[in-house]
Amino acid sequence: MALVEIDKLNISFDGRAAVSDLSLSIEKGESFGIIGESGSGKSLTALAIAGLLPDNAKVSGSIRFEGAPLPGDERAMARLRGRHFGMVFQEPMTALNPLMKIGEQIGEAAELSQSGADIASLIAEVGLLPDHAGRFPHQLSGGQRQRAMIAMALASAPDLLIADEPTSALDTITQALVLDLIAEICARRGMTLLFISHDMRAVAALCTRIGVMRTGQLVETGETQAVLRAPKAEYTRKLVAASRMERRATDRLHGDPLLEVEQVSREYGQGGFWPWGRTTLRAVDKVSLTIAQGECVALVGPSGCGKTTLARMIVGLDNVSAGQMRLDGQAYRGRDLPPLLRAGLSLVFQDPFSSFDPGMTIGQSLAEPLHLLGNLSSAERATRLHDAIMSVGLDPAMLDRYPHEFSGGQRQRLAIARAMVTRPRLVVLDEPVSALDVSVRGEVLNLLARLQAEHGLTFLIISHDLDMVAAMADRVLVMEAGRIVEEGKPADLFAHPQHALTKALMAAQLPDITETSW
Amino acid sequence: MLPKRATNAMRHLPPCGGGREGGQPRPGFPVTLFILRRLLTFAATLFVAALIIFILLDLLPGDPARFILGINASEASVAALRTQMGLDAPAHERFFGWIAGMVRGDFGISATQRVAIGGLIAERMAVTLPLTMMAMVLSMLIGLPLGIVAAMRRGKPADTGLMILAQTGIAIPNFWFGMLLTLVFAVALRWLPTGGFTPWHENPGAAFRGLILPGLALALPQASILARVMRTALVDVTGQDFIRTARAKGLTRSEAIWRHGLRNAFLPVLTILGLQFAFLIAGTIIVENVFYLPGLGRLIFTAVSERDLTLVRSATIVLVLAVTATMFITDLLYTLVDPRLRRQNA
């Protein structure tokens, strides 16, 4: 008998279908993965199993757990959920109660399910230290929080573990550790796993059977390898193709140095009311690098290594504590970058949703950097906006619309258009595609490669996505704890990593979806 | 079958707790340091407030000595009184003399009432402080539950009704409530006195009864604000991920809100409560006049109209002290409730 049986599940909001006619069954002890892009209905399906759908959702169809339909009564459903399901969500910071200690939160789950689980042993099982129980969520790192979340899910000794994008908010190395942990625990406890992700590699590494969802429908189900190696559905084929990064960079000739960073450090004073009690945190530590005209350089490293701090100084959003930078030979220390020179630098942020002011039209947002160029005539401004939006392949009529009217991929294109409007020479891209769906990533990277070729742009890409870096960069710099520890061409560097961090980053790479051996 | 290990990253890295993923263990933060720093800010605020009050009252046209002695007094007697009152001394001496006196507990002598100001203020505070406290407690007792009910029944008729009521409560000034309450409960029903105050030592019960209607008049607008803030805060919290987590653990929606939502929703409410105390204190000036209560507000009101500047000055600084002290306590409570602030504040 299947543990979970879903029959013709339909979920809709205000008459709009979010999940339609979905039927699937999850066997006891198996690990089932659902792959899908944002808005595909994969998370809603998981929430429906747990009875956690929003109030305004209209549901039809049936979900059976261990042969019995899910109870309609809220309290009964809550108790069933508490005893039999464990859930791990995407963002461990917001998924934990900020005012309660980790141990108490795990204890609450144990108490509610009356499982009698021992908190100390749960904490040990997920690889946390005993004193982590007494800490608050904000006192843990992202990976530790997700471990705490897993401990909480395990507290009820559940039959089914539902993990909804459990590693998307974590960096590569932490992601690998957390995925290992989930696999190990499921194997040890013989627990059934429902794993939901947009990351095909993560799903392939963890699941024996997968379903692919698109706009609320299950387009394909089957053994992981069968589906990924020989996809039957057109959509799966497209997804598999999109998840392979092909090298876009060509070996271009590079010009003179455009940006020189000379022995730059950035220190922050930390915690101290009394001046003598202060300690300094060195976020960036004597970094030197040179980027030539027309080059694409990638800066990789785990979260907190100082990549973003360095980028902020380069584009003039922050000042160096020591050292200096030169753009086109002109020295600057950060915010003292003169406006005209500043116009030669642009920054594209990771999250295209929060990097636009929701109250401004796209045209207003795009025109903002133009003040750096002094007084432009309105005709000149209009031409600039027109050129910028055309260059990213969008329609100038969109300039009058507001950010919420665009999809993630479109917004990232608009963010790139905003970066292009001053006709910069160096564009700094901070995780330019990590917030985007797999199928859109390729398009945005193609766009970047095209813009670089057409306008002779120089790129500095900050990322921890090694695939993307390998596809785009001419040169890779590896950063750890504020220092650049290794540098080289992507092909050489990734084939023969020297530094421990580069090795760790390589090791944390999830195997290619069709390479996973069973 | 599940793979034993999806990747081999573990071999290259230490287990979490140390190293890259572990992050630094964060030491407990010294609460005393925070309190000390807030105390310094507290003292600095009082000093600046005293300076502003002093300068403003000193700048006022008119000679207090002349005002006391009347228009027909001779120049000589006015000069004598000025010397006696210490008005001849340079401004900075008078300012620091005033501060030093207050630190010793000597607030000076009221020019109009001819008694020690310290005693006068203490006597009046015995009315104003309980009145403010009562208004504070009443506004919480009325506002918070209504806000919670509205949030729990969001979008339903109860919510809409309560929020219309709250809107009305905010729009209507407290003295009007005062008159309305007097008409209903004192004049028509005769449950409570219309005004006036029996001193605590004579009849504590009567004193308490005398404060109920003014307290309610003060509390109603504040309760309306509290209800709205409480509702919004709770609605915000209800949409947060950790409420979903709590439900995933096996709680129903309302259980999750009670156990996890309320305490989180209380954070913004606490800010408003701190600010409300200041409004309540200011509100007493009007309400004490409406209900004819011998409180600090009435004292200041009379002192201003009689140009008793020494009294105005000292009574005002006592009000400032009360408000600043509330802010200080609010800050401490914040740190108690929210562990995240303990570190940032250090």
Side-chain angles (χ1 to χ4, degrees):
Chain A
M1 182 181 57
L3 187 71
V4 179
E5 265 177 298
I6 304 177
D7 191 32
K8 294 211 172 69
L9 177 70
N10 283 283
I11 304 170
S12 64
F13 294 93
D14 302 326
R16 266 189 307 188
V19 172
S20 13
D21 264 345
L22 182 128
S23 300
L24 66 85
S25 65
I26 301 170
E27 300 299 323
K28 220 167 213 162
E30 81 168 331
S31 48
F32 188 86
I34 299 182
I35 298 176
E37 298 189 300
S38 46
S40 63
K42 56 187 193 306
S43 293
L44 286 173
T45 307
L47 291 177
I49 296 173
L52 286 175
L53 284 173
D55 284 342
N56 57 341
K58 285 239 176 335
V59 193
S60 70
S62 81
I63 300 174
R64 301 172 81 82
F65 179 74
E66 290 193 312
L70 293 181
D73 174 55
E74 197 203 346
R75 183 169 297 264
M77 183 63 221
R79 300 298 180 252
L80 173 86
R81 181 162 71 215
R83 296 224 173 98
H84 299 287
F85 301 154
M87 300 192 77
V88 181
F89 299 106
Q90 176 171 4
E91 185 43 76
M93 182 72 232
T94 54
L96 293 167
N97 184 343
L99 306 185
M100 258 171 104
K101 289 181 179 163
I102 298 296
E104 291 170 20
Q105 302 199 38
I106 299 172
E108 186 185 31
E111 172 209 316
L112 282 168
S113 61
Q114 297 167 331
S115 65
D118 174 42
I119 296 155
S121 62
L122 281 171
I123 289 210
E125 184 173 0
V126 297
L128 291 174
L129 300 175
D131 75 302
H132 286 139
R135 298 216 194 149
F136 290 100
H138 72 279
Q139 294 169 317
L140 299 179
S141 70
Q144 288 169 334
R145 282 183 211 130
Q146 203 57 295
R147 285 169 191 268
M149 211 40 221
I150 295 172
M152 211 151 77
L154 294 179
S156 59
D159 305 305
L160 175 68
L161 181 69
I162 302 176
D164 187 357
E165 301 271 12
T167 57
S168 314
L170 307 175
D171 72 35
T172 326
I173 293 177
T174 319
Q175 161 172 352
L177 292 171
V178 170
L179 289 179
D180 277 350
L181 178 70
I182 293 177
E184 192 191 300
I185 287 171
C186 285
R188 189 180 333 124
R189 294 183 169 225
M191 195 165 53
T192 313
L193 173 71
L194 172 59
F195 185 84
I196 293 158
S197 181
H198 69 279
D199 184 348
M200 301 183 84
R201 289 187 170 199
V203 175
L206 222 53
C207 300
T208 44
R209 229 157 49 87
I210 56 172
V212 181
M213 280 190 79
R214 186 198 184 196
T215 56
Q217 278 161 330
L218 197 61
V219 296
E220 191 165 0
T221 343
E223 296 296 314
T224 308
Q225 285 311 302
V227 173
L228 295 181
R229 283 207 184 139
K232 289 189 198 75
E234 176 63 34
Y235 178 68
T236 320
R237 237 170 281 159
K238 255 179 63 188
L239 264 190
V240 170
S243 76
R244 284 207 190 86
M245 292 268 184
E246 264 142 47
R247 183 152 171 83
R248 288 164 174 87
T250 47
D251 288 314
R252 289 173 291 260
L253 287 174
H254 305 312
D256 298 329
L258 176 65
L259 175 80
E260 290 158 278
V261 173
E262 295 163 0
Q263 294 284 312
V264 160
S265 297
R266 180 69 174 97
E267 288 172 351
Y268 293 101
Q270 266 195 328
F273 165 47
W274 310 110
W276 54 87
R278 294 173 75 84
T279 53
T280 49
L281 173 83
R282 191 168 274 202
V284 174
D285 191 5
K286 293 199 190 112
V287 165
S288 296
L289 60 94
T290 306
I291 301 178
Q293 187 92 46
E295 200 180 8
C296 178
V297 174
L299 193 58
V300 300
S303 19
C305 73
K307 323 185 276 281
T308 300
T309 309
L310 181 61
R312 285 172 53 85
M313 292 188 290
I314 289 174
V315 296
L317 290 174
D318 197 1
N319 282 330
V320 300
S321 305
Q324 63 169 4
M325 289 147 318
R326 286 174 189 279
L327 185 66
D328 254 348
Q330 185 166 346
Y332 65 103
R333 293 172 49 81
R335 289 188 204 155
D336 57 349
L337 190 63
L340 272 178
L341 212 55
R342 171 93 179 261
L345 284 174
S346 284
L347 183 61
V348 175
F349 299 96
Q350 173 174 12
D351 186 353
F353 292 91
S354 59
S355 63
F356 278 95
D357 183 338
M360 283 166 88
T361 64
I362 294 299
Q364 286 166 337
S365 277
L366 257 54
E368 261 193 313
L370 289 176
H371 77 270
L372 293 168
L373 301 173
N375 283 325
L376 294 182
S377 68
S378 55
E380 169 73 10
R381 291 169 74 94
T383 320
R384 291 258 185 173
L385 289 180
H386 185 267
D387 290 356
I389 202 162
M390 292 289 278
S391 73
V392 297
L394 294 176
D395 183 358
M398 291 175 174
L399 288 171
D400 297 325
R401 298 212 217 143
Y402 286 89
H404 70 265
E405 300 174 57
F406 296 94
S407 69
Q410 284 175 323
R411 284 193 219 195
Q412 200 60 325
R413 280 170 183 268
L414 292 169
I416 294 169
R418 176 170 55 188
M420 293 297 295
V421 79
T422 54
R423 295 180 188 151
R425 304 172 63 196
L426 173 66
V427 181
V428 178
L429 303 145
D430 192 351
E431 298 282 6
V433 294
S434 64
L436 304 178
D437 275 326
V438 187
S439 61
V440 189
R441 279 183 197 186
E443 292 168 24
V444 172
L445 292 180
N446 283 341
L447 168 68
L448 288 173
R450 177 170 64 77
L451 288 174
Q452 186 176 24
E454 281 174 13
H455 300 272
L457 291 176
T458 309
F459 281 157
L460 174 60
I461 299 179
I462 297 167
S463 182
H464 56 242
D465 180 350
L466 296 191
D467 284 332
M468 190 266 279
V469 164
M472 296 293 289
D474 301 316
R475 193 151 55 93
V476 180
L477 308 171
V478 182
M479 201 166 174
E480 183 183 36
R483 291 168 181 270
I484 290 179
V485 293
E486 194 169 359
E487 133 167 43
K489 290 192 178 220
D492 305 341
L493 189 79
F494 296 148
H496 310 286
Q498 299 298 315
H499 191 270
L501 173 67
T502 322
K503 287 180 186 166
L505 282 171
M506 290 305 297
Q509 280 285 87
L510 295 173
D512 197 80
I513 43 175
T514 48
E515 282 169 10
T516 319
S517 54
W518 294 93
Chain B
M1 279 307 294
L2 281 158
K4 188 88 189 100
R5 183 161 274 189
T7 70
N8 52 0
M10 275 201 169
R11 274 182 233 143
H12 294 271
L13 283 168
C16 98
R20 203 166 291 109
E21 191 204 357
Q24 294 302 309
R26 297 182 171 182
F29 106 104
V31 183
T32 41
L33 206 69
F34 167 67
I35 295 177
L36 204 65
R37 189 168 63 160
R38 284 296 292 124
L39 271 176
L40 279 183
T41 322
F42 180 45
T45 313
L46 275 185
F47 181 81
V48 171
L51 193 62
I52 292 172
I53 292 168
F54 182 84
I55 292 172
L56 283 180
L57 292 183
D58 215 47
L59 284 178
L60 277 185
D63 183 347
R66 162 75 62 193
F67 189 83
I68 291 164
L69 293 176
I71 201 91
N72 297 323
S74 69
E75 282 301 321
S77 53
V78 168
L81 184 61
R82 283 181 61 86
T83 315
Q84 189 199 329
M85 290 172 72
L87 293 173
D88 288 343
H92 64 90
E93 271 180 33
R94 280 183 287 133
F95 176 65
F96 286 107
W98 175 48
I99 300 281
M102 283 196 296
V103 171
R104 287 195 310 269
D106 171 15
F107 287 77
I109 305 286
S110 159
T112 50
Q113 309 201 21
R114 304 280 171 196
V115 287
I117 292 174
L120 204 55
I121 290 178
E123 192 182 293
R124 296 305 185 95
M125 277 307 257
V127 178
T128 298
L129 213 56
L131 174 62
T132 319
M133 288 300 172
M134 177 174 291
M136 197 82 179
V137 170
L138 282 174
S139 72
M140 284 196 277
L141 284 181
I142 300 167
L144 298 183
L146 291 185
I148 294 171
V149 169
M152 294 277 212
R153 313 197 62 87
R154 179 153 75 117
K156 301 195 172 128
D159 177 26
T160 319
L162 282 173
M163 284 307 109
I164 291 174
L165 210 64
Q167 195 65 61
T168 322
I170 296 171
I172 295 174
N174 51 24
F175 62 85
W176 191 84
F177 270 128
M179 295 192 286
L180 191 73
L181 290 169
T182 314
L183 276 177
V184 176
F185 294 102
V187 178
L189 296 171
R190 296 182 177 276
W191 288 353
L192 294 161
T194 49
F197 185 71
T198 322
W200 292 99
H201 57 85
E202 283 176 22
N203 185 347
F208 184 80
R209 279 160 51 86
L211 291 182
I212 292 179
L213 284 185
L216 207 55
L218 269 175
L220 283 177
Q222 304 298 333
S224 308
I225 296 174
L226 266 188
R228 282 186 71 95
V229 174
M230 184 74 228
R231 175 189 178 272
T232 312
L234 202 54
V235 165
D236 280 353
V237 165
T238 308
Q240 300 219 336
D241 287 355
F242 62 81
I243 294 293
R244 185 183 57 187
T245 306
R247 294 179 63 203
K249 286 189 203 173
L251 294 173
T252 62
R253 183 192 294 276
S254 45
E255 286 168 342
I257 293 175
W258 277 110
R259 283 214 203 180
H260 295 265
L262 270 187
R263 207 170 140 209
N264 277 281
F266 199 63
L267 294 174
V269 174
L270 197 57
T271 315
I272 300 293
L273 278 177
L275 292 172
Q276 282 203 344
F277 190 78
F279 282 106
L280 287 177
I281 288 242
T284 55
I285 297 185
I286 295 169
V287 166
E288 281 172 2
N289 275 298
V290 172
F291 285 92
Y292 213 71
L293 293 176
L296 198 61
R298 265 257 310 284
L299 182 68
I300 295 182
F301 189 78
T302 329
V304 169
S305 52
E306 288 174 355
R307 212 166 254 279
D308 190 344
L309 297 190
T310 337
L311 182 52
V312 173
R313 205 165 65 179
S314 297
T316 314
I317 201 80
V318 169
L319 290 187
V320 171
L321 175 78
V323 171
T324 322
T326 314
M327 295 297 174
F328 174 65
I329 293 167
T330 314
D331 267 10
L332 290 190
L333 282 179
Y334 238 118
T335 345
L336 266 182
V337 179
D338 191 345
R340 287 166 294 184
L341 293 175
R342 290 179 205 156
R343 208 181 131 71
Q344 283 159 19
N345 279 334

